[in-house]
Amino acid sequence: MTAFRHLVVNFLTIALFLLVQCNAKTWGFEDATLSISGKKDGVGGGLKEKISEGRSLANPVSLKPSETLKVLLTVKEDKRPRRPHQAFLTIEDSKTKLDTSFPFVVKENGKGKVELAQKDIPVQLLATSRPLAASIVIASFGTSTPYLHHAFDLKIETDPSAPFRSPQEPLRYGKLPEIHHVFKADPKNPPKIITLVFTAAVIAALPALFIAWVSLGANINHTTRAFKSSPISHAIFFSSVLAMEGIFFMYYTSWNLFQTLPGAAVVGLITFLSGSRALREVQGRRLAGLR
């Protein structure tokens, strides 16, 4: 009974494995063509070969400097056209194992295309005289089996008269030279001629200000009475106005904004408090009928 039970278990295991293998989906392609053409070949000219899934071309194909290699195919998953997550044409030197990949541009209907020329191939692969192995790689998410198979051999025919492209030096991470920051210079004052012109304009406007005061009824004779009634507030208010002008002058000549703002805030507060008391004194004289 034990031997019979083992036989039944093994039979069911093999049957289940074969059932899974039969239902497993695989990636592949169809209607694949390889073409190599140059500018002088015209439309429909050049080499054309058909690539079959799971097979390789018998003879190597040659790629000259002025030619372009193009591969067209239809990607399919379990015999249905699909767009995979990855589809590449990989070119490899079988001896050094150096390789590079060129992605297929695949549409939603599975139609894919890749083009390359000698300028797209790394110098390390162009330098070899051996044919390069070109393989098609198709894979995506899910449980479907990816496709990887050698498609053809590519022989690079370089121009002997053309200068050889030397490979670029690889990027190396390490200590770099010290960076010296150059900050923007501080803003300069305007030309002196402009300053003198505006200063002269302000000084010339002072007589007009005094004339306006006299025409509006300003009484300079009340200066003594004002300072007797509220000497501290008037003196501090007048001094704070002069101090604010001095702060503006220092900002124009040498101070920066961070030096100007604290001083302007303190003087402005003093001007507000002393000015309120000075205006209260003026209001008292106006209510007393003094003009």
Side-chain angles (χ1 to χ4, degrees), residues 7 16 44 92 97 108 116 128 169 183 194 199 201 227 237 241 280 284 290:
L7 181 62
L16 180 61
E92 179 188 28
K97 299 302 179 181
E108 293 294 338
L116 62 101
T128 180
E169 184 178 354
F183 296 95
I194 297 178
T199 303
F227 274 94
F237 176 72
V241 172
R280 193 178 299 120
L290 299 175

Side-chain angles (χ1 to χ4, degrees), residues 92-230:
E92 179 188 28
D93 187 344
S94 56
K95 184 177 181 180
T96 61
K97 299 302 179 181
L98 294 176
D99 65 75
T100 185
S101 297
F102 301 91
F104 281 90
V105 179
V106 185
K107 300 180 180 179
E108 293 294 338
N109 58 2
K111 300 290 184 180
K113 178 179 71 172
V114 64
E115 294 184 11
L116 62 101
Q118 283 195 16
K119 61 182 180 62
D120 303 318
I121 301 176
V123 179
Q124 291 81 354
L125 295 178
L126 291 177
T128 180
S129 58
R130 296 179 296 274
L132 303 175
S135 303
I136 297 177
V137 182
I138 304 173
S140 189
F141 301 109
T143 59
S144 298
T145 304
Y147 178 87
L148 172 60
H149 196 275
H150 173 256
F152 58 91
D153 290 327
L154 179 63
K155 185 177 181 181
I156 306 297
E157 294 185 4
T158 58
D159 186 2
S161 60
F164 180 73
R165 278 192 301 147
S166 58
Q168 295 181 354
E169 184 178 354
L171 178 62
R172 302 294 184 185
Y173 293 94
K175 184 179 179 181
L176 298 178
E178 182 180 359
I179 299 176
H180 298 278
H181 295 282
V182 179
F183 296 95
K184 184 179 179 180
D186 294 333
K188 298 181 180 180
N189 295 330
K192 292 184 178 180
I193 183 64
I194 297 178
T195 304
L196 294 176
V197 169
F198 280 93
T199 303
V202 172
I203 295 175
L206 290 178
L209 177 62
F210 293 141
I211 294 173
W213 283 351
V214 173
S215 61
L216 293 176
N219 194 347
I220 302 178
N221 296 328
H222 285 184
T223 304
T224 305
R225 183 185 297 272
F227 274 94
K228 285 183 179 180
S229 301
S230 182

Side-chain angles (χ1 to χ4, degrees), residues 40-57:
K40 298 181 180 180
D41 294 331
V43 180
L47 173 68
K48 286 187 178 181
E49 295 283 352
K50 183 177 181 180
I51 303 176
S52 301
E53 180 180 332
R55 297 182 181 180
S56 305
L57 296 182

Side-chain angles (χ1 to χ4, degrees), residues 253-265:
T253 55
S254 59
W255 283 5
N256 55 35
L257 188 62
F258 297 102
Q259 293 173 312
T260 304
L261 290 179

